[in-house]
Amino acid sequence: MTDAAIVGTGPNGLAAAVTLARAGLKVSLHEKADTVGGGLRTTALFDSDVRHDICSAVHPMAAASAFFRRFDLPARGVRLLQPDLPYAHPLPDGRAAAAWRDLTRTAEHLGADGPRWERLMRPLVSRSTAVVDLILATQRTLPGDPVTPLVLAPRMLAHATNRTPFTTDEAAALLTGVAAHAVGKLPSLASAAVAMLLAHTAHSSGWPLPQGGSARIAHAMVADIAAHGGTVHTGHHVRDLAELGDVPLILLDVGPKEFLAIAGQRLPAGYRRSLGRYRYGPGAAKADFLVDGPVPWANPLVGRAGTVHLGGTRADILRQETATAAGERVPDPFLLVVDPAVTDPSRAVGGKRPVWAYAHVPNGDTRDPVELIRKRIERYAPGFTDTIVASRGRSAAEFEAYNPNYVGGDIAAGALTLRQSLARPTPRWNPYTTPLPGVYLCSAATPPGPSVHGMCGHLAALSALSRHHNIRTAPDLSPGERVPAWEEPDRP
């Protein structure tokens, strides 16, 4: 007898399954693809020995989120490798800014803006766990620490209202590049939250890469699920809830569009209309390169970074992201670039290595991004083209075929607007519940939103345990750890 079925095995579906299985439920997972993982897949594309991360590559939240802190990836053999220099941002004139793990060193590097960077980041770094837990919460419960919101709020507000504290191009671009991870109009309150979250973790828990690739995280989670009696069914595209039979609990790691497709007329008309109003943001287009050497960055400092942001000055990034969010095809889109072998030398085999790159493009963009991305990298790394052995592109439109949650290439599974941050995916007090008894949403379309943190799935599973099994204490996720009680966000 199956106690709970989970549809989708992205990080949130897997986190939901881990949580339910640890609470003693017998769970089954159903995955459309032939392999588990969603955004956590790693495979050989061009050379059997060189593996590429298909979606995410760098994982700040795998080191920081409450779910993964409790799950303890290192105890399961997943080595989270930390670059000394988490991210860098080259400027068009050859200068470059960089963020080190060490905050003091970063401040020294930023010169005149160093003290300002220190004042911005130090209070966040000193209470990093509380900051992460506040941002990655249900958004329906009061924070346990009343001081953290007072530290975070003015910093977010300043960024959201375009009041940068910096006087140099380097520091201004360094922070704005992090804000661009929100993939939308800049500045905004949502991008401010992203900027404060990611920028400060670079100086605390870090921006690690799993040794061997992102799939190692998914495999560790599946192993834990199997150890607690769970089963995984790959190659099973659930097109209708009826396919799951009379399972008491169903948790769906799917977005509103896919939920409408598989639930159909079972949903009340008003709820269907509300889901239909859900907005999607700009798309991401990806290029994978097989190269025969490190990226030849013009500024050598950039080559030491785990992640590289290519967007030019702060003004350039604001223009690029705002135009892209409005549906314009800009000639110089914002790029994220990762050469995994910089942090994990084992990813370079026989003189060849993968290079991972995303461009922010309009939702549904059909362009093959390889040339667009190659030219942008070449601009900051002359000679990069000569290192390319093979390449593959995936347009924003093609991303939806790969994963239905990525509508139009929106890898955030929904626009990060103020409204959708507070009412994601619909205005409900408990955002994980649906009008269907025993059916929950647990995808990145629910709070706290995108990134590989597992919190959407974990929180949805805790809600289901509380409502259906009267279990109000979160199960232990790692041996010997005491986990505090979790309070159901429903009103009495």
Side-chain angles (χ1 to χ4, degrees):
M1 173 65 180
T2 299
D3 299 311
I6 289 102
V7 177
T9 63
N12 287 307
L14 293 174
V18 165
T19 305
L20 295 177
R22 284 297 191 109
L25 275 64
K26 186 174 181 180
V27 301
S28 64
L29 294 95
H30 304 267
E31 169 58 48
K32 171 187 173 183
D34 292 332
T35 57
V36 300
L40 293 172
R41 292 193 175 107
T42 307
T43 191
L45 293 178
F46 314 107
D47 184 297
S48 60
D49 295 323
V50 179
R51 298 176 63 79
H52 298 253
D53 291 312
I54 302 305
C55 291
S56 55
V58 181
H59 297 280
M61 294 303 102
S65 81
F67 172 79
F68 279 116
R69 291 198 312 266
R70 295 165 182 168
F71 187 69
D72 195 356
L73 286 166
R76 289 167 169 75
V78 180
R79 293 189 61 195
L80 298 177
L81 304 178
Q82 296 278 7
D84 288 335
L85 206 163
Y87 63 97
H89 192 115
L91 293 170
D93 61 7
R95 290 176 294 164
W100 274 264
R101 286 290 303 283
D102 186 277
L103 178 55
T104 300
R105 187 175 182 186
T106 303
E108 292 171 351
H109 162 73
L110 292 174
D113 270 333
R116 298 181 184 91
W117 189 274
E118 177 104 22
R119 286 195 297 271
L120 179 67
M121 294 296 161
R122 182 66 69 185
L124 301 176
V125 171
S126 66
R127 43 194 334 112
S128 182
T129 297
V131 170
V132 171
D133 288 351
L134 176 61
I135 294 177
L136 299 186
T138 66
Q139 303 167 359
R140 305 298 193 277
T141 55
L142 293 175
D145 171 17
V147 176
T148 299
L150 301 178
V151 173
L152 183 62
R155 287 165 169 78
M156 287 177 52
L157 186 61
H159 179 89
T161 54
N162 206 18
R163 298 200 310 271
T164 175
F166 303 119
T167 60
T168 65
D169 291 337
E170 290 92 333
L174 192 65
L175 184 62
T176 309
V178 180
H181 282 246
V183 196
K185 179 182 177 181
L186 291 179
S188 69
L189 197 58
S191 70
V194 170
M196 296 305 112
L197 175 64
L198 292 180
H200 99 270
T201 55
H203 306 302
S204 57
S205 49
W207 287 23
L209 282 76
Q211 186 178 46
S214 296
R216 297 291 176 87
I217 297 176
H219 295 166
M221 298 170 78
V222 170
D224 191 77
I225 294 164
H228 289 83
T231 56
V232 179
H233 307 278
T234 57
H236 179 200
H237 185 185
V238 175
R239 292 181 170 85
D240 191 296
L241 290 178
E243 297 175 34
L244 301 173
D246 297 325
V247 181
L249 282 179
I250 297 174
L251 279 75
L252 303 172
D253 187 4
V254 305
K257 183 177 179 180
E258 187 76 354
F259 184 35
L260 285 168
I262 65 177
Q265 297 302 309
R266 296 179 182 85
L267 297 172
Y271 186 77
R272 292 201 308 271
R273 287 194 297 271
S274 185
L275 286 180
R277 290 192 292 268
Y278 189 74
R279 288 180 54 204
Y280 293 93
K286 183 167 184 278
D288 292 292
F289 298 98
L290 179 67
V291 299
D292 61 10
V295 179
W297 300 107
N299 190 314
L301 178 65
V302 178
R304 297 166 56 188
T307 300
V308 179
H309 299 146
L310 299 184
T313 65
R314 171 179 169 81
D316 291 335
I317 301 168
L318 298 183
R319 170 185 55 79
Q320 294 157 7
E321 291 294 275
T322 300
T324 298
E328 299 178 28
R329 289 181 171 182
V330 299
D332 55 346
F334 182 83
L335 256 62
L336 291 91
V337 182
V338 177
D339 178 351
V342 169
T343 305
D344 179 5
S346 72
R347 300 289 292 276
V349 181
K352 297 176 184 176
R353 57 208 283 155
V355 169
W356 173 106
Y358 269 107
H360 292 173
V361 298
N363 189 282
D365 195 354
T366 58
R367 290 174 295 174
D368 185 326
V370 169
E371 276 303 289
L372 182 70
I373 291 174
R374 181 195 64 77
K375 290 178 181 177
R376 285 288 280 158
I377 297 176
E378 182 79 20
R379 167 70 178 79
Y380 294 91
F384 172 69
T385 301
D386 296 334
T387 71
I388 298 172
V389 177
S391 61
R392 185 194 76 163
R394 175 172 277 154
S395 71
E398 290 169 334
F399 256 114
E400 184 172 353
Y402 165 76
N403 186 333
N405 286 353
Y406 301 157
V407 176
D410 177 4
I411 58 176
L416 292 179
T417 63
L418 177 59
R419 178 187 177 279
Q420 287 196 169
S421 295
L422 298 174
R424 188 178 179 97
T426 64
R428 292 175 74 86
W429 181 251
N430 186 326
Y432 311 105
T433 61
T434 75
L436 303 180
V439 178
Y440 291 75
L441 291 175
C442 68
S443 71
T446 64
S451 189
V452 178
H453 45 59
M455 291 302 295
C456 306
H458 182 55
L459 293 170
L462 292 177
S463 180
L465 288 171
S466 175
R467 293 167 65 89
H468 294 270
H469 292 271
N470 200 31
I471 297 174
R472 293 181 174 269
T473 301
D476 285 345
L477 301 182
S478 62
E481 180 173 355
R482 291 176 57 84
V483 182
W486 180 86
E487 292 299 325
E488 162 69 36
D490 274 344
R491 290 175 177 145

